[in-house]
Amino acid sequence: MAAPQPRFNPKKLWKNFHETYSQVIDGEWDLFMPQQATGLTVADLKETTAQFQKLIGDGKQNGLKVRAVGSSWSLSKAPTTTGWTFNTNRLRGRLKVKPADVDPAYPGTADQKAGLYLFQCGNTVADVNSALERDSEKRALFTSGAANGQTIVGATQCGTHGSALEFGALHDHIVALHLITTADKHYWIERKSRPVMAKVWVDGLGATLKRDDDLFNAAVVAFGSFGIIGAVVIETVPRYLLETHPTQAKLDESLWKAIGALDFSVPPFNGKKPYFFQAVINPSSDDVLIMANYRKDPAPDSYQPNYDLISDPKSIGPGFDALSTLSVILGAFKNVIPAFSKLAAKQLFDTKTKTGTPGEIYGYKPPLLFVASGSIAVALPDARRTLETLIKLYKDIGPVPVVLGCRYVRKSPALLAFNRFPIGLMISIDGVDGPTSRAFFAAAADRVEAAGISFTQHWGKANAYTPQRVAKAYGGNLQKWLDARRALIPAAADRALFDNDYIRERGLTG
Amino acid sequence: MLKRAIAALAMAATTGGCMQYLVQPPRPSLAGTPQTVQANSYVGGKVQQPSGHVTARQCANGEQLARVLVKRNFWQGFVNWITLGMVAPATIEYSCANAGEPPMGGGGS
């Protein structure tokens, strides 16, 4: 059955999910999925592609910029446009790639070949987890961010990561993507070194097949500026369980070994390397919340994930927009920040051991507006020096309602990946949105830079990137990325459709 | 000290009368962006605007509701207070829900 036609809503003010900023737009388009009795088909993908292409063409004709928007999750202005937004979060089709549709040259293992899935752009991370982890599939993502509300394309376009010690970020699952650039052009892009879908399948979609490592590595982390990503194909692993071991400790020399060098010979790990490791440092007290998650394989066949987020009717905790008021209180009464940080940690840190699939462990969270978050990534050998620099900054400028989350990610081949160090420490500066937190984010980048430490910043969170910092962080990869954008969208007027201030201010247009 | 006292007073004044409640299912799946409707309740809810109920117009093609947020800001609370509850304005924000879980396709055409 044909998909309903896109519907226009003359909405003029767009806000991100956490309401940390808003953007004036010229209206939004809702796109709908075709009715699917037996699941997504190539014909469905073609129909949605045609709808996107018409909207891109109409936008251009009307002199408007356009952008696809998923869950509006980004804390940076990466997804913004001044023109039309295309709401993609109803496009949740998914299909398991049939072995016959896989290119014979696909270099993956038999298990990887059996675990290839195509997800349309509007599937959230929660959707992907639930689709993969169900009984019929028994598969899983190999890493996942802490949240699950982002769409798979929105999260990966901005470089979202987790902290699985042996893997890269969420975008490192992607092995093929469908990119719609103009009213008359759409591409199926894969790495030349890792062909995935058979050419006959791509021809059936009507897309131009591009097999090129640089093009793929550019488009996979591109903040929506290469066009509309209609769908992605991901590699998965067999379903597994994680057992969480949360503990609290003081930041002493022993713990520095784990946080600064991933040496797990020290307590509380005692030689047992976690699959996922995160440490959250409260700079006001040197308290550290440790989350070490150990992998349990295989998950029992009968295991039924339960993703439900239930609020206890008798519980008392922060309201939906509690942080908007807290931000003002903490701004006026800075000396209560350390006590607040302790209380918040106690409230938010679950000290009970749990076992579940990745989709359960990194599942639904109570919604909260006005969160502030910015991340800085450095190479593991620079980990301790960077953290000490940030703790000193915290002590220099007085209490700030933020904590320092430490997560660890392997290098990605994506050209502008936030995870660009062989083993990177991603320091997530999380807290309450407000002038003091924002000032801390900006000063953090300045201090790390002044210390002569190479670093990158999370594209989807508050960041202090300048064209110079982007060029320094990514070197030759930046020019390759710009060249790839020009190769895929040759006309400047077509590229400009997807431009916004965010990429312009970072030297990523042209 | 004066600055803090002013901040505390401003906080008390601007949050007085405010409230909000968020309702969502255990697994929210949002379709589209949140839509905002201004509503008024008169004479203790005996008369309402919009009349009867608020229609979630953007939830088309079988979509239900994923999230409803009812909130009242300082000015809305103030109007409620000075009219002794005869006029109670509120802002309602709703998000549509994706209808069910799409089946897993198998790559046919």
Side-chain angles (χ1 to χ4, degrees), chain A residues 316-355:
Chain A
I316 296 179
F320 186 44
D321 85 339
L323 299 187
S324 64
T325 305
L326 263 175
S327 167
V328 180
I329 294 172
L330 298 178
F333 303 95
K334 283 192 168 184
N335 50 352
V336 303
I337 290 175
F340 161 75
S341 303
K342 264 197 164 171
L343 185 72
K346 210 173 167 186
Q347 177 93 29
L348 299 172
F349 192 64
D350 192 349
T351 51
K352 287 192 255 359
T353 292
K354 285 189 294 190
T355 301

Side-chain angles (χ1 to χ4, degrees), chain A residues 86-125:
Chain A
F86 302 155
N87 289 329
T88 62
N89 58 359
R90 291 177 172 91
L91 303 175
R92 298 161 67 231
R94 66 286 299 262
L95 61 83
K96 181 167 185 164
V97 176
K98 290 192 296 192
D101 291 331
V102 179
D103 192 284
Y106 173 62
T109 62
D111 179 73
Q112 285 172 321
K113 189 174 174 181
L116 291 167
Y117 290 83
L118 179 147
F119 284 96
Q120 263 190 305
C121 52
N123 279 286
T124 60
V125 173

Side-chain angles (χ1 to χ4, degrees), chain A residues 11 28 89-90 98 308 321, chain B residues 20 27 32-34 63 106:
Chain A
K11 189 171 168 173
E28 63 178 8
N89 58 359
R90 291 177 172 91
K98 290 192 296 192
D308 289 356
D321 85 339
Chain B
Q20 64 177 337
R27 294 183 210 176
T33 55
E63 290 171 357

Side-chain angles (χ1 to χ4, degrees), chain A residues 164-167 261-265 269-277 292-295 410 423:
Chain A
L165 297 177
E166 300 297 329
F167 294 99
L262 294 181
D263 174 356
F264 295 106
S265 63
F269 315 99
N270 301 319
K272 205 174 162 202
K273 186 179 181 180
Y275 181 80
F276 169 102
F277 169 54
N293 298 347
Y294 294 90
R295 190 165 158 165
R410 296 282 172 139
I423 300 174

Side-chain angles (χ1 to χ4, degrees), chain A residues 160-173:
Chain A
T160 299
H161 62 91
S163 192
L165 297 177
E166 300 297 329
F167 294 99
L170 207 51
H171 47 262
D172 295 315
H173 289 90

Side-chain angles (χ1 to χ4, degrees), chain A residues 25-67:
Chain A
I25 57 171
D26 213 65
E28 63 178 8
W29 286 91
D30 288 317
L31 285 101
F32 299 90
M33 238 183 11
Q35 286 287 332
Q36 295 170 8
T38 54
L40 184 73
T41 65
V42 171
D44 296 333
L45 290 171
K46 286 172 80 169
E47 190 179 3
T48 303
T49 303
Q51 290 184 345
F52 272 130
Q53 289 190 304
K54 180 164 187 327
L55 291 176
I56 293 170
D58 289 352
K60 188 179 177 187
Q61 214 164 26
N62 286 295
L64 294 170
K65 296 190 183 302
V66 298
R67 278 259 174 174

Side-chain angles (χ1 to χ4, degrees), chain A residues 134-184:
Chain A
R134 67 180 59 175
D135 257 0
S136 60
E137 310 303 322
K138 292 190 174 67
R139 305 291 298 185
L141 294 173
F142 51 71
T143 191
S144 183
N148 69 356
Q150 320 95 309
T151 59
I152 185 75
V153 166
T156 54
Q157 278 289 290
C158 286
T160 299
H161 62 91
S163 192
L165 297 177
E166 300 297 329
F167 294 99
L170 207 51
H171 47 262
D172 295 315
H173 289 90
I174 299 178
V175 287
L177 53 88
H178 182 211
L179 180 70
I180 304 154
T181 53
T182 62
D184 57 3

